[in-house]
Amino acid sequence: IDSDRNIPANAINGFSLLAIFLVGSVYYYLTSSFSISIITTIIMLIMAFFFTAVASYIVGLVGNSNSPVSGMTITAVLFTGGLLYIMGFEGINGMVATLGVAAIVCCAACTSGDVCNDLKTGYIVGSSPFRQQIMQIAGIAVASLIMAPVLQLLHDNTPGGIGGRELSAPQAGLFAELAKGFFGTGQLPWNMVLIGT
């Protein structure tokens, strides 16, 4: 029946491989380093795999408001930054790669929670998962093309830009400070990090 029909596994695998290739290409474009691009792509795959499962389960159980996306993104920054630091990467490439992994993991976790919630609602009302999945892919594709220019416009046309007084971004500031602590001139409060605050 139509309520049991999903996108074929081969199509999902194809979309996944395309997404991995595109993300790896973005990492290479940002860092101009083949080795760091390969490493960050592998880290991103592992972390996104586990964090999407966590986000999907929690959102499916209790709803979008309880998805621990910020905590998972901080974990991604700390894990990726620590691993790249241990492997000898440094400077701007280390910061960009760390934040690049965190950004993709954050988006994957947010999207997985949204998709899980939509599919749960669709199941309750008896809709077709196949059609929902097609529209989810279309929605993500359109949003990916629209969000970046809109954010750039906000940044360019607001005094102080994103992170300034009018468009404060405390979480982004935290992620930036963590990255600077690993690869820049910043100092991480390791005692606070070790106890989880």
Side-chain angles (χ1 to χ4, degrees), residues 188-197:
L188 285 178
W190 285 110
N191 56 334
M192 302 297 251
V193 171
L194 290 173
I195 63 173
T197 57

Side-chain angles (χ1 to χ4, degrees), residues 79-150:
F79 181 81
T80 307
L83 197 58
L84 292 176
Y85 182 78
I86 289 168
M87 296 176 83
F89 295 103
E90 55 187 22
I92 193 71
N93 269 3
M95 283 189 268
V96 169
T98 299
L99 294 175
V101 171
I104 299 297
V105 169
C106 178
C107 289
C110 290
T111 303
S112 69
D114 174 64
V115 170
C116 182
N117 211 28
D118 290 347
L119 290 173
K120 178 180 73 172
T121 306
Y123 176 79
I124 292 170
V125 299
S127 67
S128 165
F130 176 81
R131 292 183 182 179
Q132 282 189 285
Q133 290 156 5
I134 292 295
M135 293 315 296
Q136 289 286 352
I137 293 169
I140 291 166
V142 170
S144 69
L145 297 173
I146 292 174
M147 287 301 296
V150 169

